Amino acid sequence: MGKMGIVMEIVLMIGLFAMTLGNGETECDLYTGKWELDSSYPLLLYNSSECPFIRKEFDCIKYGRPDRLYLHFRWHPFHCHLPRFDGEDLMERFREKKIMFIGDSISLNQWESLLCMLHAALPNSTIIQQSNDTIRTIIFQDYGTSVMLFLSHYLVDIEEEEDIGRVLKLDSIKNGDIWKEMDVLIFNTWLWWYRKGSTQPWDYIQIGNERVKDMDRMEAFRHGLRTWANWVDSEVDTNKTRVFFQGISPSHYNGSEWNEPGVRNCSKETMPVNGSTYPSGLPAASMTVQQVLSEISKPIHLLNITTLSQLRKDAHPSSYNGFKGMDCTHWCIAGLPDTWNQLLYAALIS
Ligand SMILES: *[C@@H]1O[C@H](CO)[C@@H](O)[C@H](O)[C@H]1NC(C)=O
Ligand SMILES: *[C@@H]1O[C@H](CO)[C@@H](O)[C@H](O)[C@H]1NC(C)=O
Ligand SMILES: *[C@@H]1O[C@H](CO)[C@@H](O)[C@H](O)[C@H]1NC(C)=O
Ligand SMILES: *[C@@H]1O[C@H](CO)[C@@H](O)[C@H](O)[C@H]1NC(C)=O
Ligand SMILES: *[C@@H]1O[C@H](CO)[C@@H](O)[C@H](O)[C@H]1NC(C)=O
Ligand SMILES: *[C@@H]1O[C@H](CO)[C@@H](O)[C@H](O)[C@H]1NC(C)=O
Ligand SMILES: *[C@@H]1O[C@H](CO)[C@@H](O)[C@H](O)[C@H]1NC(C)=O
Ligand SMILES: *[C@@H]1O[C@H](CO)[C@@H](O)[C@H](O)[C@H]1NC(C)=O
């Protein structure tokens, strides 16, 4: 082992020692840190041209994104060591187990990134795909591990009622019986709560027995999230099932947030925001998430990706996607969601 190798080992040992001392989450906050340029990153993970799971919405390089710098930023937590992603180790630990992402297209974004990371780590593993209207499943057959996606915009239900149309039921979670059979659950919901007009997929909101045409959307979000939180507390056996909630994934359509007033989208962004704090602070929805999650008594983990993602105004597809719209909401694959999955991995092995 060379001198550098020994130094690295020592750094690693100190990192591990700090983590054990820190008892995981309180001392060692993986979510506070900064983005560092590292030219060797992320080809350690995968080459997006060789990943068969990327939808046209996220495949930025294939659709002509010319710059590459956005691929070379590595998340560097201030107070602890972010372990290297080891796909083989993850599969060994979750042999015959089921990992499920549940939520909107941001969950899809993260699910596809994890599949690319696992596919690159286990190039010879046989993969079986099973899909139906509700669930998409990829099984890594050598391990019997399923990595699944359950699309649900609101987590709570939308039901068709004969007399009036589609009703968003803020008190009801009918899919929970499927979810609670899983071994790892990663939830997310936010994008759809402010949809109006033709993209709003419901006609009424129902709370208890009362139906209304509309209401304060943040209140609706809080109510729906509370229903989910109560479901976790009453239904999920957290001795068997690890539960994650993904913090708000930010968009970049308002340059005032990062001190470039007048900028209206992410089309010119090729660098992260400098520093470790986002000028406009956390989005209001993060406060709601924080409040509701603090009321849960079962152990759940907040995958607190909001600030670190706010800094990445450079990591969206913008117009480099297969539908040519301007997208500053989702994220390129390869790219930022790989870091979310490294953080998920770190939480799963701790
Ligand atoms: C999430 O991380 C950010 C950045 O470190 C921090 O400001 C925020 O308080 C964290 N949220 C929670 C609920 O811990
Ligand atoms: C990624 O894979 C493609 C297709 O195999 C190859 O042409 C390209 O050179 C690779 N890129 C890198 C950076 O290795
Ligand atoms: C995958 O299989 C090929 C051909 O059998 C072999 O050369 C290669 O080393 C294998 N890769 C891994 C990571 O096992
Ligand atoms: C969809 O697939 C899942 C597992 O792959 C299965 O449990 C479920 O019953 C299927 N649902 C329908 C409606 O076929
Ligand atoms: C989880 O495990 C702990 C410790 O073994 C036990 O006290 C607790 O009752 C278990 N909870 C459930 C819901 O099984
Ligand atoms: C843009 O961000 C600024 C700074 O956070 C805020 O004051 C303003 O209301 C935002 N504009 C819109 C249209 O959301
Ligand atoms: C994106 O922003 C640029 C400049 O900020 C503007 O010229 C362009 O029209 C915007 N594109 C879309 C689709 O909004
Ligand atoms: C980023 O911030 C650091 C320290 O706060 C400063 O030294 C550096 O010049 C800044 N870079 C840019 C591009 O603003």
Side-chain angles (χ1 to χ4, degrees):
M1 197 185 291
K3 203 169 189 176
M4 269 313 283
I6 292 169
V7 172
M8 281 304 295
E9 282 293 300
I10 292 171
V11 169
L12 203 68
M13 274 167 61
I14 293 171
L16 290 174
F17 184 57
M19 274 182 76
T20 25
L21 264 187
N23 194 13
E25 284 164 36
T26 43
E27 300 258 323
C28 175
D29 174 11
L30 285 163
Y31 304 106
T32 303
K34 63 176 186 211
W35 289 100
E36 276 185 349
L37 195 54
D38 176 343
S39 55
S40 72
Y41 189 80
L43 294 177
L44 299 167
L45 291 175
Y46 63 93
N47 173 348
S48 66
S49 317
E50 287 165 2
C51 176
F53 299 106
I54 311 175
R55 277 163 76 101
K56 63 183 193 299
E57 285 85 346
F58 313 139
D59 207 344
C60 300
I61 291 179
K62 179 168 176 194
Y63 289 97
R65 182 165 178 164
D67 59 311
R68 292 288 180 275
L69 204 57
Y70 75 101
L71 288 171
H72 296 296
F73 285 92
R74 183 201 285 275
W75 179 245
H76 180 87
F78 286 138
H79 304 297
C80 53
H81 166 78
L82 181 57
R84 189 179 62 83
F85 180 80
D86 183 340
E88 212 175 318
D89 172 62
L90 184 62
M91 289 290 103
E92 282 296 347
R93 288 168 189 263
F94 289 90
R95 235 175 221 287
E96 307 295 333
K97 300 256 189 297
K98 293 182 170 144
I99 300 171
M100 184 182 267
F101 291 88
I102 301 157
D104 54 36
S105 52
I106 297 295
S107 296
L108 168 67
N109 221 174
Q110 186 174 1
W111 177 69
E112 291 192 349
S113 151
L114 182 60
L115 292 175
C116 289
M117 291 162 81
L118 290 170
H119 177 259
L122 309 161
N124 295 341
S125 180
T126 307
I127 287 170
I128 301 173
Q129 308 204 24
Q130 289 173 352
S131 290
N132 57 31
D133 286 349
T134 40
I135 303 177
R136 283 181 234 172
T137 304
I138 302 290
I139 303 168
F140 288 82
Q141 203 183 21
D142 300 349
Y143 299 88
T145 310
S146 298
V147 183
M148 307 164 87
L149 176 71
F150 190 115
L151 280 178
S152 170
H153 293 150
Y154 299 94
L155 304 182
V156 294
D157 299 336
I158 294 177
E159 288 188 78
E160 192 77 41
E161 304 271 320
E162 275 173 31
D163 44 336
I164 55 168
R166 301 158 302 172
V167 182
L168 175 63
K169 299 192 168 174
L170 295 185
D171 291 315
S172 171
I173 294 192
K174 292 224 170 100
N175 295 314
D177 289 343
I178 299 174
W179 304 342
K180 70 185 186 190
E181 298 304 318
M182 304 296 135
D183 301 284
V184 179
L185 295 170
I186 307 107
F187 291 94
N188 141 67
T189 179
W190 168 241
L191 272 187
W192 287 72
W193 288 89
Y194 275 76
R195 290 277 170 107
K196 292 196 169 152
S198 63
T199 63
Q200 173 187 307
W202 47 264
D203 305 302
Y204 286 87
I205 294 182
Q206 181 167 336
I207 304 185
N209 292 322
E210 195 193 346
R211 278 184 193 154
V212 292
K213 199 69 191 142
D214 209 342
M215 65 183 285
D216 181 275
R217 297 301 180 89
M218 192 62 86
E219 275 312 309
F221 175 58
R222 190 193 323 277
H223 199 102
L225 205 56
R226 251 196 201 120
T227 299
W228 170 82
N230 290 335
W231 171 79
V232 171
D233 262 341
S234 60
E235 298 289 330
V236 181
D237 174 2
T238 46
N239 283 346
K240 166 184 181 295
T241 303
R242 307 273 300 266
V243 181
F244 292 82
F245 190 85
Q246 187 200 58
I248 305 295
S249 170
S251 301
H252 291 92
Y253 294 101
N254 177 1
S256 304
E257 290 176 2
W258 65 92
N259 297 335
E260 288 183 58
V263 173
R264 288 280 164 269
N265 61 51
C266 57
S267 62
K268 300 256 161 37
E269 307 301 331
T270 55
M271 291 279 284
V273 174
N274 202 6
S276 63
T277 56
Y278 193 58
S280 69
L282 287 168
S286 285
M287 308 308 162
T288 305
V289 168
Q290 201 162 312
Q291 183 194 350
V292 175
L293 263 54
S294 70
E295 296 163 4
I296 300 179
S297 51
K298 295 237 171 105
I300 71 146
H301 185 105
L302 173 63
L303 206 56
N304 184 7
I305 51 88
T306 306
T307 300
L308 66 90
S309 306
Q310 283 179 313
L311 300 172
R312 295 306 306 275
K313 60 185 168 59
D314 58 324
H316 298 286
S318 73
S319 57
Y320 302 109
N321 58 57
F323 67 96
K324 296 297 166 218
M326 177 60 62
D327 183 356
C328 306
T329 297
H330 300 97
W331 308 92
C332 293
I333 297 178
L336 178 68
D338 307 332
T339 298
W340 299 351
N341 283 318
Q342 281 180 284
L343 290 161
L344 174 65
Y345 172 70
L348 282 171
I349 67 174
S350 76

